[in-house]
Each structure stands twice: as C-alpha cells, then as structure tokens.
Amino acid sequence: MGSTKSTGPRRAVIALAFLAAALVAPAAARAESGVTGHGMTGLAAEHVTVQTKQGPMGAYLTDGQGRSLYLFAADTAGTSTCEGTCAAAWPPLVTTGAPQAGSGVSADKLKTVARPDGSMQVVYDNHPLYYFVKDAKAGDTNGQGLDAFGALWWLVAPAGSAITTR
C-alpha cells in the first residue's frame, strides 16, 4: 500500500520554492533592465541609451526602453545628492560605458559622473538622471513634480531643462 509518512515537510519545501521564485523573478527582471528596488541599481549596463519620448507635457528624456528619466532639483554642478533611501526611491541611471544619444538627444550633453559607491551615473546637461520606482512601465511619469527628499523632481526636456508642468 501507499506510504503513511507525513507530506508536511515536502509541502513546506515546495512552498518555499514558490516563495523564492516569486521574490527572485521580479528582482531579476528589474536588474536586467538596470532598475532594482531597495536603493540598488543592479548591474549597470555597458550601453545605455538616452532618447526622447513625446507625452502630454511635451518631449522628455527616457532610457532606451522608454522609461522616464528625472532630474533632482537639489543636485548641483552635475553631482548627485541622492543616496541611501533617496536612491531606493529614485534609482540613478548608471552605466559601465559611455552613454549613447538616441533620437532627439544631444550627444554633447551626455556624460557620466562618479557616485559615492563608485558607479557611474549618466548626466545630461549637468543633471544626473534618475528613474522613479513607482513608474511601472515605459511612458509612466508618476514622479513628475513630486517634492521628495528635500526638493522637486522633474522630467528632463531635450534641451536639458526641467519640465515643470504637472
């Protein structure tokens, strides 16, 4: 006849495997895209493209996958002041190579600057660039005009200025 041993431990192992998969898959997807939660930017891509997208507030900068890029009004002289919990909510756009200018972007305005952790953040017209963690998909602009971590966050116009329309 069949075994009379308890299946409790087996069920526990299966439940843990599903839990691990549920936690790892979203993090892996964010790392592949260069955006992760908890203040981490994941593995920086060697080739990062900055391009433009047209939206209700006009043309603004995005990464190569169409995810919105923001500037932080507290940053000065091309240096990021967003670290720790700030960078967890507003992950910096980082790269291991030279950033590439896509459609509508001036290549001469693109450069990188070293962050305190040694990663290289993409800068456009002297503004370090960031994502917003509540932008779930390409084209989302949920961070536009937010006042967080001591200053305002704005989308970036192709000219390099802040788009201050809400």
Side-chain angles (χ1 to χ4, degrees):
M1 304 260 180
S3 172
T4 59
K5 291 184 181 179
S6 170
T7 59
R10 183 172 181 216
R11 286 185 182 156
V13 169
I14 292 170
L16 285 174
F18 278 111
L19 177 61
L23 293 173
V24 171
R30 287 190 307 270
E32 181 179 309
S33 68
V35 179
T36 64
H38 310 295
M40 314 249 336
T41 55
L43 298 173
E46 182 179 355
H47 300 288
V48 171
T49 300
V50 176
Q51 61 188 20
T52 60
K53 178 176 180 74
Q54 191 68 33
M57 292 162 275
Y60 61 94
L61 299 186
T62 71
D63 70 3
Q65 288 74 46
R67 293 173 304 205
S68 301
L69 296 170
Y70 299 87
L71 63 79
F72 184 36
D75 289 346
T76 57
T79 303
S80 173
T81 59
C82 180
E83 299 177 42
T85 56
C86 176
W90 300 89
L93 174 61
V94 294
T95 185
T96 60
Q100 305 297 308
S103 175
V105 171
S106 298
D108 61 335
K109 293 184 181 197
L110 276 173
K111 65 178 187 172
T112 57
V113 65
R115 293 184 53 78
D117 66 4
S119 63
M120 299 303 289
Q121 185 170 4
V122 178
V123 174
Y124 189 75
D125 197 33
N126 226 21
H127 298 291
L129 299 176
Y130 305 87
Y131 296 104
F132 181 49
V133 295
K134 292 189 179 179
D135 285 349
K137 63 185 182 314
D140 283 353
T141 58
N142 297 311
Q144 177 65 356
L146 290 183
D147 188 347
F149 300 97
L152 294 167
W153 294 85
W154 301 112
L155 293 169
V156 185
S161 58
I163 298 173
T164 56
T165 305
R166 292 185 190 221

